[in-house]
Amino acid sequence: MATVRVNIPQQQTKEEDKYTFQTFKEEIKRKWTHKREVKQSERDLAQSFPKVLLALQCPSQLYLFLFYIIPRLFEDYTDETQICLQLFVCFCCVEGLLNYFLCLLTNSDVEPRSSSKIKTFDDPHAHTNGHVPNGVTVSRDDGEMPWGFCAICDMDIPPRAHHCKICKKCILKRDHHCFMVGNCIGFYNQRYFFVLGFYAILCGLGAFACNAWYLYLFYWPTAYSWTSLFPPIAFYRWLFGYENIELHVLILIFQAYPQLFFGGFGCIVVNSQTLMCFLGKTAHELTSHIPIKNNNFFFTNFESVFGKHWLLNFIFPMTQCLKQPGDGTYWDGIKIDHVLNSDDKNKVVLNM
């Protein structure tokens, strides 16, 4: 019995035909505009990596500074000077960890409120910030910021509060979601995030400078080659005895790269948050082009984040002593910029 083969050509779909003869530039543009949805497991992994790295870096870096770097780099100084340097290193480490955990654990979520507690436009004695029930748009000439409605959380939200798709909740004065901290930066934990960035610079770039100085003086003269400064190569040579590397020197080589990583993170945080506090806006408002006009003085904006005597927050977290003014729902001196809003609408009309 003969067997007959019939080759039926597979028909390409319209989607495949569309991208068959695309140029490289068009293909990159298509992949950029059609981003795939990030899985929850990938988000959890991205948020867990900095935590694991921090858990390994902090105790080992503190130990090496107290027992190797300070005693050997500053051996010509007095014992009192070395003790002061050791106390300063411990202080920076404790401050960084305190602000990290406060930033992680402080809750800036929007709490559901009953309609009787929310002041509306109909109330003549209401605060300047009104309430827009169930997302109804109400036009106002005075530019005051209205309340909104989150369809996902099914509740009214105050001005400047926005929903986070990662945290799956609404955040008061939402700035952004930080994967380094694993939490949303909002009204109540922005102060700790700012100070965390400051101490990340000290414990990152400052530690890297001392680390590099130590390696240059006590390891580089006897190093096999410059390739030993790469952690995998240094570990391979240490493990199989190709180079006589002390264990603490090997750990210092490994620590240099996370120090640069955390130091760079601190520089980005301090620069961006200084700009946000100076302007009195959030990163979400700037990137989303929300027409916000802040009429407050920049010292008032800093007090809104840190409370009065805000510089004391860099010495110790002033959680109870220096409370922030307000509760993150009403904003004096901040309005909708109708001029900027009308300009954006005109641009949209012209582009159409």
Side-chain angles (χ1 to χ4, degrees), residues 57-59 61-62 87-99 199 203:
Q57 182 80 5
C58 277
Q61 180 172 310
L62 182 61
L87 290 176
F88 177 74
V89 169
C90 293
F91 171 78
C92 291
C93 184
V94 171
E95 275 291 300
L97 290 176
L98 273 177
N99 284 278
Y199 283 100
C203 297

mmCIF file of all heavy atoms in Angstrom, residues 57-59 61-62 87-99 199 203:
data_model
loop_
_atom_site.group_PDB
_atom_site.id
_atom_site.type_symbol
_atom_site.label_atom_id
_atom_site.label_comp_id
_atom_site.label_asym_id
_atom_site.label_seq_id
_atom_site.Cartn_x
_atom_site.Cartn_y
_atom_site.Cartn_z
ATOM 1 N N GLN A 57 26.120 42.476 52.742
ATOM 2 C CA GLN A 57 27.103 43.570 52.691
ATOM 3 C C GLN A 57 27.300 44.241 54.041
ATOM 4 O O GLN A 57 28.430 44.522 54.439
ATOM 5 C CB GLN A 57 26.659 44.601 51.648
ATOM 6 C CG GLN A 57 27.606 45.756 51.447
ATOM 7 C CD GLN A 57 28.781 45.398 50.559
ATOM 8 O OE1 GLN A 57 28.837 44.305 50.013
ATOM 9 N NE2 GLN A 57 29.714 46.314 50.410
ATOM 10 N N CYS A 58 26.222 44.525 54.744
ATOM 11 C CA CYS A 58 26.310 45.341 55.964
ATOM 12 C C CYS A 58 27.187 44.717 57.054
ATOM 13 O O CYS A 58 28.130 45.357 57.530
ATOM 14 C CB CYS A 58 24.909 45.628 56.496
ATOM 15 S SG CYS A 58 24.132 47.019 55.679
ATOM 16 N N PRO A 59 26.913 43.491 57.497
ATOM 17 C CA PRO A 59 27.741 42.958 58.596
ATOM 18 C C PRO A 59 29.202 42.737 58.212
ATOM 19 O O PRO A 59 30.097 43.012 59.011
ATOM 20 C CB PRO A 59 27.048 41.629 58.949
ATOM 21 C CG PRO A 59 26.251 41.273 57.749
ATOM 22 C CD PRO A 59 25.849 42.550 57.107
ATOM 23 N N GLN A 61 30.944 44.341 55.834
ATOM 24 C CA GLN A 61 31.629 45.624 55.655
ATOM 25 C C GLN A 61 31.921 46.273 56.999
ATOM 26 O O GLN A 61 33.010 46.833 57.204
ATOM 27 C CB GLN A 61 30.777 46.550 54.800
ATOM 28 C CG GLN A 61 31.394 47.915 54.538
ATOM 29 C CD GLN A 61 30.603 48.727 53.535
ATOM 30 O OE1 GLN A 61 30.264 48.248 52.462
ATOM 31 N NE2 GLN A 61 30.297 49.966 53.887
ATOM 32 N N LEU A 62 30.997 46.197 57.929
ATOM 33 C CA LEU A 62 31.220 46.777 59.254
ATOM 34 C C LEU A 62 32.361 46.057 59.966
ATOM 35 O O LEU A 62 33.220 46.701 60.600
ATOM 36 C CB LEU A 62 29.935 46.689 60.075
ATOM 37 C CG LEU A 62 29.968 47.298 61.480
ATOM 38 C CD1 LEU A 62 30.272 48.789 61.419
ATOM 39 C CD2 LEU A 62 28.663 47.045 62.204
ATOM 40 N N LEU A 87 33.442 54.654 65.817
ATOM 41 C CA LEU A 87 32.102 55.072 66.250
ATOM 42 C C LEU A 87 31.346 55.732 65.097
ATOM 43 O O LEU A 87 30.129 55.530 64.948
ATOM 44 C CB LEU A 87 32.210 56.029 67.435
ATOM 45 C CG LEU A 87 32.680 55.429 68.758
ATOM 46 C CD1 LEU A 87 32.842 56.518 69.814
ATOM 47 C CD2 LEU A 87 31.702 54.355 69.245
ATOM 48 N N PHE A 88 32.049 56.518 64.297
ATOM 49 C CA PHE A 88 31.407 57.165 63.155
ATOM 50 C C PHE A 88 30.925 56.130 62.130
ATOM 51 O O PHE A 88 29.829 56.252 61.578
ATOM 52 C CB PHE A 88 32.369 58.144 62.495
ATOM 53 C CG PHE A 88 31.825 58.809 61.259
ATOM 54 C CD1 PHE A 88 30.863 59.807 61.368
ATOM 55 C CD2 PHE A 88 32.262 58.438 59.993
ATOM 56 C CE1 PHE A 88 30.346 60.419 60.234
ATOM 57 C CE2 PHE A 88 31.756 59.043 58.858
ATOM 58 C CZ PHE A 88 30.798 60.034 58.970
ATOM 59 N N VAL A 89 31.730 55.109 61.894
ATOM 60 C CA VAL A 89 31.326 54.045 60.969
ATOM 61 C C VAL A 89 30.099 53.314 61.505
ATOM 62 O O VAL A 89 29.145 53.033 60.761
ATOM 63 C CB VAL A 89 32.503 53.072 60.737
ATOM 64 C CG1 VAL A 89 32.031 51.821 60.007
ATOM 65 C CG2 VAL A 89 33.609 53.754 59.948
ATOM 66 N N CYS A 90 30.093 53.008 62.788
ATOM 67 C CA CYS A 90 28.918 52.343 63.395
ATOM 68 C C CYS A 90 27.689 53.229 63.319
ATOM 69 O O CYS A 90 26.579 52.748 63.053
ATOM 70 C CB CYS A 90 29.230 51.984 64.849
ATOM 71 S SG CYS A 90 30.497 50.715 65.052
ATOM 72 N N PHE A 91 27.863 54.528 63.556
ATOM 73 C CA PHE A 91 26.741 55.467 63.496
ATOM 74 C C PHE A 91 26.135 55.502 62.085
ATOM 75 O O PHE A 91 24.912 55.450 61.934
ATOM 76 C CB PHE A 91 27.221 56.857 63.905
ATOM 77 C CG PHE A 91 26.213 57.940 63.686
ATOM 78 C CD1 PHE A 91 25.159 58.115 64.560
ATOM 79 C CD2 PHE A 91 26.312 58.794 62.588
ATOM 80 C CE1 PHE A 91 24.215 59.115 64.352
ATOM 81 C CE2 PHE A 91 25.386 59.793 62.376
ATOM 82 C CZ PHE A 91 24.330 59.954 63.256
ATOM 83 N N CYS A 92 26.983 55.586 61.069
ATOM 84 C CA CYS A 92 26.479 55.617 59.682
ATOM 85 C C CYS A 92 25.754 54.329 59.331
ATOM 86 O O CYS A 92 24.711 54.345 58.656
ATOM 87 C CB CYS A 92 27.631 55.854 58.710
ATOM 88 S SG CYS A 92 28.362 57.499 58.804
ATOM 89 N N CYS A 93 26.278 53.207 59.784
ATOM 90 C CA CYS A 93 25.646 51.919 59.502
ATOM 91 C C CYS A 93 24.279 51.814 60.176
ATOM 92 O O CYS A 93 23.301 51.397 59.557
ATOM 93 C CB CYS A 93 26.561 50.787 59.962
ATOM 94 S SG CYS A 93 25.956 49.137 59.559
ATOM 95 N N VAL A 94 24.210 52.223 61.443
ATOM 96 C CA VAL A 94 22.944 52.168 62.183
ATOM 97 C C VAL A 94 21.925 53.128 61.579
ATOM 98 O O VAL A 94 20.742 52.787 61.422
ATOM 99 C CB VAL A 94 23.183 52.477 63.678
ATOM 100 C CG1 VAL A 94 21.861 52.655 64.419
ATOM 101 C CG2 VAL A 94 24.003 51.366 64.319
ATOM 102 N N GLU A 95 22.362 54.338 61.234
ATOM 103 C CA GLU A 95 21.454 55.312 60.627
ATOM 104 C C GLU A 95 20.906 54.807 59.295
ATOM 105 O O GLU A 95 19.716 54.951 59.002
ATOM 106 C CB GLU A 95 22.189 56.635 60.407
ATOM 107 C CG GLU A 95 22.208 57.538 61.602
ATOM 108 C CD GLU A 95 20.835 58.095 61.906
ATOM 109 O OE1 GLU A 95 20.249 58.777 61.050
ATOM 110 O OE2 GLU A 95 20.343 57.832 63.010
ATOM 111 N N GLY A 96 21.780 54.233 58.477
ATOM 112 C CA GLY A 96 21.317 53.700 57.198
ATOM 113 C C GLY A 96 20.301 52.586 57.369
ATOM 114 O O GLY A 96 19.270 52.564 56.695
ATOM 115 N N LEU A 97 20.555 51.670 58.298
ATOM 116 C CA LEU A 97 19.630 50.557 58.519
ATOM 117 C C LEU A 97 18.316 51.039 59.133
ATOM 118 O O LEU A 97 17.240 50.549 58.772
ATOM 119 C CB LEU A 97 20.282 49.514 59.428
ATOM 120 C CG LEU A 97 21.436 48.707 58.811
ATOM 121 C CD1 LEU A 97 22.050 47.782 59.841
ATOM 122 C CD2 LEU A 97 20.932 47.902 57.609
ATOM 123 N N LEU A 98 18.407 51.992 60.065
ATOM 124 C CA LEU A 98 17.179 52.519 60.677
ATOM 125 C C LEU A 98 16.263 53.155 59.631
ATOM 126 O O LEU A 98 15.057 52.877 59.582
ATOM 127 C CB LEU A 98 17.531 53.540 61.760
ATOM 128 C CG LEU A 98 17.808 53.022 63.167
ATOM 129 C CD1 LEU A 98 18.211 54.167 64.077
ATOM 130 C CD2 LEU A 98 16.602 52.289 63.731
ATOM 131 N N ASN A 99 16.826 54.011 58.802
ATOM 132 C CA ASN A 99 16.014 54.674 57.778
ATOM 133 C C ASN A 99 15.537 53.695 56.722
ATOM 134 O O ASN A 99 14.450 53.876 56.156
ATOM 135 C CB ASN A 99 16.816 55.804 57.130
ATOM 136 C CG ASN A 99 16.921 57.029 58.020
ATOM 137 O OD1 ASN A 99 16.018 57.846 58.085
ATOM 138 N ND2 ASN A 99 18.042 57.148 58.719
ATOM 139 N N TYR A 199 22.863 58.439 53.512
ATOM 140 C CA TYR A 199 23.776 57.492 54.158
ATOM 141 C C TYR A 199 24.224 56.387 53.207
ATOM 142 O O TYR A 199 25.258 55.751 53.459
ATOM 143 C CB TYR A 199 23.123 56.908 55.407
ATOM 144 C CG TYR A 199 23.157 57.883 56.562
ATOM 145 C CD1 TYR A 199 22.043 58.635 56.897
ATOM 146 C CD2 TYR A 199 24.325 58.082 57.280
ATOM 147 C CE1 TYR A 199 22.081 59.547 57.938
ATOM 148 C CE2 TYR A 199 24.383 58.992 58.326
ATOM 149 C CZ TYR A 199 23.254 59.725 58.646
ATOM 150 O OH TYR A 199 23.311 60.649 59.670
ATOM 151 N N CYS A 203 28.040 55.304 53.119
ATOM 152 C CA CYS A 203 28.406 53.898 53.296
ATOM 153 C C CYS A 203 28.765 53.224 51.978
ATOM 154 O O CYS A 203 29.323 52.117 51.999
ATOM 155 C CB CYS A 203 27.244 53.136 53.949
ATOM 156 S SG CYS A 203 26.825 53.713 55.604
#
